Amino acid sequence: MTMDQTLPADGTQTPDINDLIESTPPSGKHRGVAAVAAVATLGSLLFGYDTGVISGALPYMYMPDKAGGLALNPVEEGLIGGTLLIGAALGALFGGIMSDRWGRRHNITILAVVFLIGALGTTFAPSVFVMYPFRVILGFAVGAASATVPVYLAETAPKRIRGSIVAIDQLMIVTGQLLAFTMNAIINAAHGGPRITIEANHNAATHGVKLGEQSWDNILALQVSKGGPLNDEQFHAFINNLVINSGNGEAWRWMLVLCSIPAIALWIGIRMMPESARWYLAKGRVREAIGSLKRVRNERKDGPLEAEVTEMFVLFRHEREEAAQRGSMKMVMQTPWLRKLLIVGIFLAVSNQLTGVNTIMYYAPKVLEYAGMTTTASITAQVANGVMSVIGSALGLWLILKFRRRTLLIADVIGVGITLLGIAATFQFTIAPHIADGTTPPTWAPFLVLGMMALFMLIVQSSNGTVVWTMLGEMFPSKYRGIMNGTAIFFLWVSNAIITFTFPSMMAGLGGGLTYTIYGIINLVVAAILFKVMPETSGRSLEEIEGYMEHIYSK
């Protein structure tokens, strides 16, 4: 077989691997795995920023149109989050298919452009109805990146550090969220918090609201949930009878536009990186696979190249010996062990969202306002959750090397459940009685909630996110990895969308006590299920994992 030929479809012709490696030059300049990870995970940074930024933007979006906001109501608030997550679900599903068909690197390049379009579209949207389609576009990029970047890293990283390299992807997600929380706090501080100027008040009862410039918190304090006299319907009627001259509500646009910068950096950087060698080999493009692998391997640290290439060829031949239809979802569903593996993967993905992590990522300022904080204080306090997320993810880089994936995840979910029950107890026994009496909760109550939120973020990000995203990138067979990983992440985003859309209504209708009790109990149940069904992938190469999965799920 000549060097410029691809492998035959049936995989019967085996090249001389040593000769092939010696005679095939690297396909470009050497790129260390750290450099590849740094560039590729800009997609994960964007993922984190775009999902986290909304927590600080929503308080400004709630402000009236005349004050620069979007005059959101609770349903529109849910749709702001939900439309992005619908797009993310579609991106995860179709992003995996695109990744399998055209390549991991190619997909990330396209997604950088989609990120930019979504960021600019949401920033300059004149109304919430114009924003919705751009939120779907932005969500598509988020979901497709979540399906593509971990696979690209898992296939590019050497076995010795694959777990920690893929865990860096999770670290970059939470770093993006911390960046969003920090920029939200800076922009909020620069604007002096949400402020409006009231020209006239046509309400029969003023409820103590004065004319002129003032904090938006003065108006929000009239709500029952803040100990005020007005229910939701009465509050919005009161707002409609105010004549508002101006305000600083457009601060949310500054928060959203900033993610266009890393989108441009991702487009530039990923064009200088190699394609996944395993994707090339899955397409039978041997020469390109070897050339790509040579660009990212250091044999003194990563071991002989011949051993890794041999493993890749063995797997390639095994796949080719199966049906010609391999790679389709139809074949996954018709193959019992693949079907079982997919179900487990979907459960792992959904369990990541059932922690309730995104109720804090998206709504922590609102939850803290329920607990008695001002808008400005709650936006600033969200930075603490972001810091604990980054610390947790950094700790996860060490934990995933020292402990087995299964042990980490089960322990994490139990810890999450206990912490959520602690938040529930604080709301139920400390905050809810004051809301019922129309009085303000004690000043220490929101800080206790914040402290438990921070502990929650430390626990969930040090184990759950790290383990789940690592496993989704490595547990599926190479030929099906894109479509199966994408399908699992599709369900992750669907569950995320459901939780995001329902959480505000749950808080309003059930209160913080019952809402967080439900999430706490769910996580304890999830831990019990994981104990029975979760496989172990630690210490195995991707090829060994495939054989192991086929063995245990063929029984």
Side-chain angles (χ1 to χ4, degrees), residues 424-502:
T426 304
F427 266 103
Q428 189 66 31
F429 301 113
T430 304
I431 297 170
H434 287 276
I435 293 177
D437 294 340
T439 58
T440 303
T443 55
W444 53 264
F447 291 97
L448 178 58
V449 172
L450 176 63
M452 285 189 287
M453 281 183 171
L455 176 61
F456 168 91
M457 296 308 298
L458 178 66
I459 294 172
V460 77
Q461 299 294 9
S462 67
S463 309
N464 194 297
T466 304
V467 172
V468 169
W469 287 104
T470 298
M471 288 196 64
L472 291 180
E474 66 186 9
M475 69 185 291
F476 300 119
S478 175
K479 187 70 174 181
Y480 299 98
R481 191 167 294 135
I483 193 168
M484 292 179 74
N485 185 61
T487 301
I489 296 175
F490 169 81
F491 281 94
L492 180 150
W493 287 112
V494 168
S495 59
N496 190 346
I498 293 171
I499 291 168
T500 300
F501 184 74
T502 58

Side-chain angles (χ1 to χ4, degrees), residues 46 49-50 53 61 84 110-125 130-142 252-253 255-261 263:
L46 284 160
Y49 191 98
D50 286 319
V53 71
M61 291 179 176
L84 181 134
I110 297 300
L111 293 177
V113 178
V114 179
F115 269 119
L116 184 60
I117 294 171
L120 297 178
T122 54
T123 297
F124 296 107
V130 176
M131 177 177 285
Y132 290 151
F134 284 104
R135 289 285 288 176
V136 174
I137 291 171
L138 191 60
F140 184 92
V142 168
W252 64 267
R253 298 185 189 273
M255 297 175 182
L256 298 189
V257 76
L258 291 178
C259 72
S260 60
I261 297 173

Side-chain angles (χ1 to χ4, degrees), residues 347-370:
F347 182 77
L348 282 174
V350 172
S351 72
N352 177 254
Q353 296 303 305
L354 290 177
T355 59
V357 62
N358 287 315
T359 67
I360 293 177
M361 285 299 176
Y362 304 152
Y363 297 120
K366 184 168 184 174
V367 173
L368 292 172
E369 286 180 41
Y370 271 111

Side-chain angles (χ1 to χ4, degrees), residues 170-409:
Q170 180 67 23
L171 177 62
M172 287 296 283
I173 292 173
V174 297
T175 299
Q177 289 166 341
L178 174 59
L179 178 63
F181 301 154
T182 303
M183 297 311 301
N184 286 349
I186 291 172
I187 292 170
N188 176 68
H191 284 78
R195 303 189 68 79
I196 62 172
T197 300
I198 301 175
E199 185 177 309
N201 185 350
H202 294 158
N203 289 284
T206 64
H207 296 294
V209 174
K210 299 179 180 180
L211 304 183
E213 184 183 14
Q214 58 196 283
S215 170
W216 176 239
D217 284 329
N218 292 346
I219 312 299
L220 295 178
L222 299 176
Q223 299 174 94
V224 168
S225 62
K226 298 292 186 66
L230 304 180
N231 61 33
D232 189 65
E233 183 179 348
Q234 293 169 334
F235 177 75
H236 284 92
F238 183 87
I239 294 295
N240 291 335
N241 285 313
L242 294 177
V243 178
I244 297 170
N245 186 41
S246 62
N248 62 0
E250 288 199 350
W252 64 267
R253 298 185 189 273
W254 291 103
M255 297 175 182
L256 298 189
V257 76
L258 291 178
C259 72
S260 60
I261 297 173
I264 295 170
L266 175 62
W267 185 82
I268 295 172
I270 198 64
R271 291 166 62 85
M272 296 185 287
M273 297 298 122
E275 181 55 85
S276 161
R278 285 176 168 83
W279 179 81
Y280 274 135
L281 193 60
K283 297 297 181 181
R285 295 160 64 175
V286 183
R287 183 183 181 87
E288 290 159 294
I290 300 298
S292 178
L293 194 63
K294 279 191 169 184
R295 291 185 66 183
V296 293
R297 286 294 181 268
N298 181 334
E299 292 193 71
R300 286 180 298 176
K301 296 180 179 180
D302 304 327
L305 204 61
E306 292 83 353
E308 184 170 0
V309 174
T310 299
E311 239 181 12
M312 290 166 61
F313 270 111
V314 168
L315 178 61
F316 173 82
R317 292 187 64 190
H318 174 70
E319 291 173 342
R320 292 294 176 131
E321 286 169 357
E322 296 196 3
Q325 295 182 5
R326 283 183 60 91
S328 67
M329 179 54 70
K330 179 181 178 181
M331 196 63 185
V332 171
M333 300 309 295
Q334 290 177 344
T335 306
W337 78 271
L338 289 175
R339 187 170 62 246
K340 292 177 185 177
L341 178 60
L342 179 60
I343 291 171
V344 172
I346 290 171
F347 182 77
L348 282 174
V350 172
S351 72
N352 177 254
Q353 296 303 305
L354 290 177
T355 59
V357 62
N358 287 315
T359 67
I360 293 177
M361 285 299 176
Y362 304 152
Y363 297 120
K366 184 168 184 174
V367 173
L368 292 172
E369 286 180 41
Y370 271 111
M373 274 193 184
T374 65
T375 300
T376 292
S378 65
I379 291 174
T380 303
Q382 179 73 318
V383 176
N385 290 326
V387 170
M388 294 304 282
S389 290
V390 172
I391 293 174
S393 288
L395 179 62
L397 298 179
W398 177 79
L399 290 174
I400 202 167
L401 292 176
K402 296 295 182 180
F403 298 96
R404 294 166 67 83
R405 316 255 204 268
R406 175 184 164 88
T407 303
L408 277 177
L409 186 58

